[in-house]
Amino acid sequence: MNATSAAALIRAKREDQRLSAAQWREVAQGIAENTWCDAQLGAFAMAVAWRGLDLRECRDFTFALRDSGRCLNWSDLPGPVLDKHSTGGVGDCVSLALAPLVSACGGFVPMISGRGLGHTGGTLDKLESIAGYDVNPSPERMHRVVREVGCAIVGQNADLVPADRRLYTVRDVTATVDVPDLIIASILSKKFAGGAQALVLDIKTGNGAQTPDETAAMALATRMHAVAAGSGIALAAALSDMDQVLGRDAGNALEVRAIVDLLSGRACDPRLRELTLALSAELLCLGGIEPDHPGATARLQRALDCGEAAERFARMVAALGGPADLFEHPQQCLPQAPVQRPVVASHAGFIQSIAVRELGECVVALGGGRRVPGAPIDHAVGLAGVRGLGERVDQGEPLAIVHARTASDADAATARILGAFRVGEAPAPPAPLLRWLPQAQAPRAKTATVTA
Ligand code: URA
């Protein structure tokens, strides 16, 4: 096939032809250099949605996107460069704890994160509830923080995978955000450009996930694993449960507070802690820092117990412009909502189901999320003390505590929360929290050499 113009490449994909690696590079360049107009991007994305990509094409597109901009190079670091991606859930603030934990154990974590859109929160929005935290540092500043502290959680720099940035904007308005091959190329191109040697993927399933259907989530995880195979990047993928909120909190400042508590050894939800430790342990193994999960978990536990992980987080926050006393004075450093109101069970029983997406939407409606990119959010609002599946509640006992800006916002949230919980007589066992994909054991990184 000799398809050299944008229209010819779109037609080829529309007719279900396979594009070569050179053609995928042409597509990515056309997007990044603006020689393709938005209409062509939209038509191309829709052709991919209809026809799909085979594995080779998905891999070629991923690497072509990666190479549309600058890749980060961490070859000066004396340890493995490790990263994590989650498809997003309600209350999922694992990244905030994983980065300092893994760095406290000898890994380096330059984590490029995103903002919330829709019913799930975004790591950057959570960090921005800490006054002064700069999610867009210069590349030099980011590099310095990663080298000196061991981790930095920041946003996507303008020249990191520019083709994805543009394509995503068009996908957002052409009903192609949920196309699996486009999701995979988008996520992995950014992670590969970020220079990680090992990556752990947390694919959420359950009613609060972007991919609620377990078969679809499994297919996504398997395909991502296959795309990464042969890339030189060690990757492990897991499915994790989103049929209940992860942890007890959903809302930006509330989740940061939960992480401050986790890292400083205060009370912490066991599921949030378990998932954080499991994903962190896998990264230590993939990075060649520890040989197995029991050893890795013990090391992570020591990093928590001795305060090293908390110190890393505190240093990262201070190095990126936040307060130096977040751990000493979390109440003063994080915004608090003026209205805090418990939502109580109308009758006693066991929590049998939770409409998690509805709880996420409730946080958005309170102002804690956004419906259009770039809209401002209220970092203080959200839900705290959210109860979990299988738990017993008495009549009048709180199912959650609404943190709202106004009393009328709290009223509206209360009605939605009551509708989201089903309380019945028989206990319903919750789904397993985490399942690793069987082929998760990718080659382990032994050195810190990165050839980005
Ligand atoms: N879906 C995408 O397509 N890209 C991302 O970066 C995240 C989710």
Side-chain angles (χ1 to χ4, degrees):
M1 192 187 67
N2 181 24
T4 50
S5 69
L9 288 168
I10 295 163
R11 180 187 298 276
K13 204 20 78 195
R14 191 193 77 190
E15 291 174 357
D16 204 17
Q17 294 180 36
R18 305 292 114 189
L19 303 189
S20 67
Q23 288 170 323
W24 283 111
R25 278 197 296 278
E26 204 178 319
V27 174
Q29 263 167 19
I31 302 172
E33 292 166 10
N34 281 313
T35 53
W36 285 41
C37 66
D38 281 359
Q40 289 170 321
L41 261 63
F44 188 78
M46 191 54 80
V48 171
W50 273 94
R51 296 301 193 178
L53 306 183
D54 69 18
L55 177 58
R56 195 268 306 152
E57 285 188 292
C58 193
R59 192 178 285 143
D60 287 344
F61 189 36
T62 301
F63 285 97
L65 285 178
R66 178 197 68 179
D67 296 337
S68 68
R70 201 170 71 91
C71 293
L72 303 183
N73 186 326
W74 304 103
S75 52
D76 60 326
L77 298 180
V81 177
L82 309 172
D83 203 353
K84 171 235 170 204
H85 178 81
S86 152
T87 54
V90 180
D92 180 7
C93 44
V94 166
S95 292
L96 298 180
L98 175 141
L101 258 169
V102 168
S103 70
C105 296
F108 288 85
V109 189
M111 192 181 277
I112 311 288
S113 293
R115 295 193 179 278
L117 187 59
H119 75 284
T120 62
T123 299
L124 297 184
D125 297 320
K126 293 170 197 181
L127 284 167
E128 279 184 341
S129 56
I130 306 170
Y133 190 102
D134 180 8
V135 298
N136 290 119
S138 66
E140 295 72 29
R141 189 179 189 196
M142 179 198 180
H143 205 105
R144 195 173 59 249
V145 176
V146 173
R147 199 172 50 241
E148 290 173 3
V149 177
C151 59
I153 309 176
V154 299
Q156 183 181 355
N157 186 280
D159 54 4
L160 192 105
V161 198
D164 173 67
R165 183 187 287 264
R166 205 176 146 224
L167 180 58
Y168 195 88
T169 310
V170 172
R171 285 170 57 203
D172 196 31
V173 291
T174 55
T176 49
V177 161
D178 58 354
V179 177
D181 288 322
L182 295 178
I183 294 175
I184 292 166
S186 168
I187 291 172
L188 290 184
S189 60
K190 291 196 288 279
K191 288 298 177 186
F192 294 170
Q197 292 163 279
L199 176 63
V200 69
L201 291 173
D202 176 10
I203 314 284
K204 305 287 187 194
T205 65
N207 81 74
Q210 301 284 7
T211 321
D213 176 61
E214 189 172 315
T215 310
M218 183 67 85
L220 187 71
T222 307
R223 176 55 84 95
M224 286 175 103
H225 205 276
V227 168
S231 67
I233 293 154
L235 183 143
L239 298 191
S240 78
D241 173 53
M242 196 31 69
D243 267 336
Q244 56 183 316
V245 171
L246 180 65
R248 300 281 166 182
D249 304 280
N252 297 286
L254 290 166
E255 292 180 50
V256 173
R257 178 60 206 253
I259 291 304
V260 166
D261 288 349
L262 189 166
L263 291 175
S264 51
R266 298 194 192 106
C268 174
D269 175 71
R271 292 171 81 255
L272 174 60
R273 183 190 166 83
E274 184 187 336
L275 187 60
T276 302
L277 289 180
L279 298 176
S280 303
E282 181 61 26
L283 267 184
L284 296 189
C285 296
L286 286 177
I289 294 174
E290 286 289 338
D292 53 31
H293 268 246
T297 307
R299 187 163 179 161
L300 291 161
Q301 188 60 55
R302 286 197 299 278
L304 280 174
D305 292 344
C306 73
E308 177 69 19
E311 194 188 323
R312 297 277 174 156
F313 189 76
R315 283 173 57 204
M316 174 183 78
V317 167
L320 286 168
D325 59 346
L326 175 64
F327 279 78
E328 291 76 22
H329 305 111
Q331 298 277 97
Q332 286 93 316
C333 293
L334 294 168
Q336 289 180 51
V339 180
Q340 300 182 13
R341 184 190 293 169
V343 178
V344 299
S346 58
H347 58 278
F350 294 92
I351 297 175
Q352 294 182 326
S353 71
I354 304 169
V356 179
R357 176 177 280 262
E358 175 67 2
L359 294 183
E361 292 289 357
C362 186
V363 176
V364 175
L366 284 164
R370 57 173 71 80
R371 300 193 194 285
V372 288
I377 60 173
D378 186 338
H379 294 100
V381 300
L383 312 179
V386 184
R387 303 296 298 269
L389 279 182
E391 290 180 13
R392 201 194 135 70
V393 286
D394 287 329
Q395 184 183 12
E397 207 184 327
L399 296 166
I401 298 164
V402 178
H403 288 233
R405 186 59 50 192
T406 66
S408 66
D409 287 352
D411 290 342
T414 298
R416 291 182 82 157
I417 294 164
L418 286 172
F421 280 85
R422 186 157 57 87
V423 177
E425 279 180 14
L433 175 62
L434 179 75
R435 280 160 298 156
W436 291 104
L437 250 66
Q439 73 274 39
Q441 299 312 316
R444 274 138 215 274
K446 287 286 175 219
T447 72
T449 314
V450 184
T451 51

